[in-house]
Amino acid sequence: MGIVSALGIGIEANRSALLAKRSGIGQARWLQSRLTERLPLGEVPFSNDALWSAAGLQQHQPAGRQVLLALHAMKAALGGIKAADIDPQMGFINATSVGGMSDVENIYSNLIDPAKPILNNELGDSLDCSQGTESLARIFGLKSYITTISTACSSSANAIMYAARLISNGLIDSAVCGGTDTLARFTLNGFNSLKNVDAQPCRPFDENRNGLNLGEGAAYLVLESEQQLKRSGRQPLALLSGFCNYNEAFHPTAPSPEGLGALAAMQGAIKKAGLHPDDISYVNAHGTATLNNDIAEAMALQKLFGENMPAFSSTKCYTGHTLAAAGAIEAVFSVLNLQEDEIYPVLNFGQPIAAAPVVPVTEVHTGKGLKHILSNSFGFGGNNASLLFSKV
């Protein structure tokens, strides 16, 4: 697996920051927007030029920021597999919500002015979310089942889920799956117009929360069938034991106030894994710190677990809400939770939500014997997804 976020590039950079309770949210350097002076963001701390140089791309391989972020995460995810051992039938399930919008915004005036030359026409094409997927497939030589998923903030969780379904139905034996999204003026302006963005570092599950902090990043995991693992001799990091997506169709941009969609997604994942709510060791909550999401998710957690609430927290106070990449980034964190037997705490928490007084983990926990972890990703349009990872 591989990851790029506001905490840095790679597993160790991200884990070190989480253990140190060090957020990557702050003032953005690379996003060109008037709002960056007053709205903190989870920006990956490298310019496109630095990402390009570190990736070792050839000059004839143009790449926008979404591809560059994904490239670093995919290289790490596939790094444990020798090129000769990559299954020629390996699928590639990618997720994004904004595609190459961040790069197009910077050259838009050139694109619409006939008098100005277009230096890189591929950037215009990247507004199609699948263009980045195709670029990455070419770079890594992936030629089998390739597709792009865009279901808002649950996109990469659904990419992981879809890859698992393809494998379980015998259509492919393995897949690299995850997602990538970048900060863009369009996205920042949109969330700001919804009054969903906090001018301070976000406060998941706090009574005084006032919105999210947007972020960017990429993460990918390699899923393999049991038969493929036996052939390769590789050891799995964790088991994707359950998953479920559920669309409540309540509102275009708000969840059911009672958390019905979130509850159904978590129940479905637990049922698929053949487990009981009491078996869950920890929940990586969606936890965006928006007024609507956190109370709905808190109510869903209360209905599911009752008095036996497991430890839970949200890591979006470290990375920002990375939209389509969030599900995969938090899937990587969930696997790390199991591998290292540690829980990463929420930041900036002061007071429980009065209407649903659940209390997240606020300090690093270790040695808890974690066995089963739920990871939630809930998106606009009622797109709710829950993944369940189990220790092997």
Side-chain angles (χ1 to χ4, degrees):
M1 60 188 185
I3 184 172
V4 177
S5 78
L7 302 178
I9 297 176
I11 297 294
E12 192 51 46
N14 279 263
R15 179 174 176 244
S16 296
L18 291 164
L19 290 173
K21 299 175 64 175
R22 184 177 68 251
S23 176
I25 294 170
Q27 185 169 350
R29 291 183 61 191
W30 316 116
L31 178 66
Q32 299 174 24
S33 168
R34 289 173 293 181
L35 294 177
T36 58
E37 294 184 3
R38 63 182 184 86
L39 296 177
L41 300 167
E43 186 179 61
V44 172
F46 300 98
S47 67
N48 282 13
D49 288 342
L51 290 167
W52 181 296
S53 176
L57 282 176
Q58 300 299 316
Q59 193 61 36
H60 67 276
Q61 291 178 292
R65 191 167 180 85
Q66 61 142 343
V67 171
L68 290 169
L69 296 179
L71 180 60
H72 283 275
M74 285 184 67
K75 283 179 70 174
L78 292 168
I81 306 175
K82 295 179 181 178
D85 293 334
I86 292 180
D87 180 1
Q89 299 303 313
M90 175 179 278
F92 177 33
I93 317 300
N94 192 36
T96 185
S97 66
V98 302
M101 190 181 296
S102 64
D103 297 291
V104 174
E105 287 176 337
N106 295 332
I107 63 166
Y108 183 70
S109 60
N110 283 26
L111 289 174
I112 63 174
D113 188 345
K116 292 183 178 180
I118 298 175
L119 301 178
N120 185 350
N121 196 49
E122 280 202 25
L123 288 181
D125 296 339
S126 71
L127 283 176
D128 181 339
C129 288
S130 67
Q131 195 265 358
T133 303
E134 293 170 358
S135 295
L136 290 162
R138 286 195 294 270
I139 291 170
F140 288 98
L142 299 168
K143 300 177 181 179
S144 182
Y145 195 101
I146 300 168
T147 195
T148 307
I149 288 180
S150 187
T151 56
C153 308
S154 62
S155 298
S156 56
N158 280 325
I160 293 168
M161 203 179 304
Y162 186 40
R165 286 172 169 156
L166 290 170
I167 291 170
S168 65
N169 283 284
L171 297 174
I172 54 176
D173 287 328
S174 61
V176 56
C177 48
T180 177
D181 250 347
T182 61
L183 288 165
R185 292 194 291 277
F186 180 86
T187 315
L188 182 57
N189 292 341
F191 275 92
N192 191 49
S193 70
L194 292 172
K195 303 186 186 302
N196 266 351
V197 184
D198 199 335
Q200 302 297 322
C202 66
R203 293 160 282 181
F205 297 102
D206 189 272
E207 170 70 10
N208 299 307
R209 69 201 181 283
N210 196 37
L212 53 76
N213 305 134
L214 283 171
E216 63 180 1
Y220 293 88
L221 303 91
V222 174
L223 263 59
E224 296 184 277
S225 67
E226 187 176 358
Q227 294 77 14
Q228 179 74 1
L229 283 170
K230 288 178 180 177
R231 287 194 292 266
S232 69
R234 288 186 289 271
Q235 295 300 310
L237 303 177
L239 173 67
L240 178 61
S241 55
F243 48 83
C244 179
N245 59 6
Y246 183 92
N247 194 308
E248 66 200 45
F250 174 77
H251 187 274
T253 62
S256 156
E258 299 84 14
L260 299 181
L263 176 62
M266 290 189 286
Q267 287 174 327
I270 292 171
K271 181 178 180 181
K272 183 169 183 60
L275 298 174
H276 185 272
D278 289 346
D279 295 318
I280 303 303
S281 310
Y282 165 68
V283 179
N284 182 303
H286 187 53
T288 59
T290 59
L291 298 179
N292 289 335
N293 174 85
D294 284 18
I295 191 167
E297 188 170 12
M299 287 183 172
L301 290 169
Q302 287 181 321
K303 290 173 182 175
L304 180 60
F305 296 108
E307 297 297 319
N308 299 314
M309 183 73 67
F312 76 94
S313 65
S314 167
T315 51
K316 289 183 175 67
C317 43
Y318 295 89
T319 63
H321 188 355
T322 57
L323 304 182
I329 284 175
E330 291 165 30
V332 169
F333 291 162
S334 297
V335 174
L336 276 176
N337 293 142
L338 290 168
Q339 283 186 300
E340 306 295 341
D341 199 14
E342 58 196 21
I343 294 174
Y344 312 124
V346 75
L347 301 176
N348 313 314
F349 180 80
Q351 180 180 350
I353 300 170
V358 295
V359 179
V361 172
T362 57
E363 297 294 337
V364 174
H365 286 189
T366 59
K368 296 295 183 179
L370 303 178
K371 294 182 179 179
H372 305 288
I373 291 177
L374 267 177
S375 185
N376 291 336
S377 297
F378 307 140
F380 281 177
N383 286 294
N384 301 285
S386 290
L387 304 174
L388 205 165
F389 296 94
S390 298
K391 193 173 182 64
V392 291

